[in-house]
Amino acid sequence: MGKAAENKKMKMENLLNTSFELFTSQGINKTSIQDIVNKAGVAKGTFYLYFKDKYDIRNRLIAHKSSQLFMQAYTALEESDIHNFEDRIVFLVNHVLDELEANKGLLAFIYKDLSWAVFKKALISPLTNEDVDFAEIYRKMVEESEFKFSDPEVMLFLIIELVGSTGYSSIMYNDPVSLDKLKPHLEATVRSIIRQYTISK
């Protein structure tokens, strides 16, 4: 990587990290672009080289942070000896939930503004070279599975919606139960969703 490209990458990462810090500490509505550039120590024009507005950086941050979560989970999965597709999805779900329980600020930030459209963008448009293309990983997992699936994207959508909403309530409010107590129910339901879309190879 040349010096100019490295400088550009550092400025973008600085803006991302600063925005995340401000969004999670004071909320997006109370954070202005001026606040971001002042704290990041860059000119306002530099912000607009990378992002359209604060909602653009928010959406891309959600994508970036989601990608980091999945990368950590997938790295742990690859280090395990789990080969069954259902078990692999359950492992990823549990790993992500554990990370979010350990970092409730991240969960509040990601979940509050997370939509399927934003999440899908995170899957297919990595923000930096370090971000994982989770869509590609998921496609690979589906292809390598011992089964075929009738509509793998809908299956993933349902799992994410289920895990996202129930996991959020459980982690943030212990409602209806704690995450530890919820996990067996979630696992059973995730497995049930996968089986609904499974067709034999």
Side-chain angles (χ1 to χ4, degrees):
M1 188 186 287
K3 193 167 183 182
E6 188 149 334
N7 191 32
K8 190 177 173 185
K9 179 174 176 267
M10 280 175 65
K11 279 184 180 173
M12 185 162 88
E13 284 181 353
N14 186 21
L15 284 166
L16 284 168
N17 292 335
T18 302
S19 300
F20 181 69
E21 192 182 323
L22 289 170
F23 290 162
T24 52
S25 62
Q26 61 190 42
I28 187 164
N29 293 332
K30 291 183 180 173
T31 302
S32 67
I33 290 170
Q34 195 63 55
D35 293 335
I36 295 167
V37 297
N38 286 350
K39 192 166 177 64
V42 299
K44 210 167 191 177
T46 304
F47 178 94
Y48 289 108
L49 284 174
Y50 304 103
F51 309 103
K52 287 185 292 188
D53 53 34
K54 69 179 182 180
Y55 300 101
D56 181 37
I57 197 171
R58 179 215 42 204
N59 289 347
R60 292 171 76 181
L61 257 175
I62 290 171
H64 182 56
K65 293 293 182 181
S66 300
S67 179
Q68 287 179 329
L69 266 179
F70 285 115
M71 191 69 242
Q72 291 163 4
Y74 187 69
T75 299
L77 176 63
E78 288 299 278
E79 290 167 1
S80 73
D81 194 30
I82 300 169
H83 303 290
N84 174 276
F85 181 82
E86 269 185 35
D87 294 342
R88 285 166 73 80
I89 295 294
V90 167
F91 179 94
L92 289 173
V93 163
N94 284 332
H95 196 285
V96 167
L97 286 172
D98 288 342
E99 288 294 318
L100 290 171
E101 186 173 42
N103 190 346
K104 290 180 183 175
L106 176 60
L107 172 60
F109 174 71
I110 289 177
Y111 184 77
K112 187 170 177 230
D113 296 296
L114 185 59
S115 68
W116 175 245
V118 170
F119 185 82
K120 196 171 175 187
K121 189 177 178 188
L123 296 186
I124 61 176
S125 322
L127 182 57
T128 69
N129 292 335
E130 289 80 36
D131 284 355
V132 59
D133 183 346
F134 189 73
E136 189 54 43
I137 288 172
Y138 180 65
R139 267 194 300 274
K140 189 173 171 231
M141 285 173 65
V142 167
E143 281 168 17
E144 290 174 352
S145 167
E146 61 275 33
F147 300 106
K148 276 189 177 176
F149 302 97
S150 56
D151 201 331
E153 185 173 317
V154 172
M155 179 172 77
L156 181 62
F157 166 72
L158 290 172
I159 290 169
I160 289 166
E161 287 294 304
L162 167 75
V163 172
S165 57
T166 58
Y168 179 83
S169 296
S170 186
I171 291 169
M172 298 300 278
Y173 306 113
N174 273 328
D175 187 24
V177 290
S178 68
L179 183 62
D180 279 346
K181 288 181 179 170
L182 181 72
K183 274 183 176 177
H185 301 282
L186 257 185
E187 177 177 334
T189 311
V190 166
R191 289 184 186 278
S192 174
I193 290 170
I194 293 170
R195 285 167 196 170
Q196 282 179 51
Y197 289 86
T198 301
I199 45 181
S200 298
K201 268 192 176 175

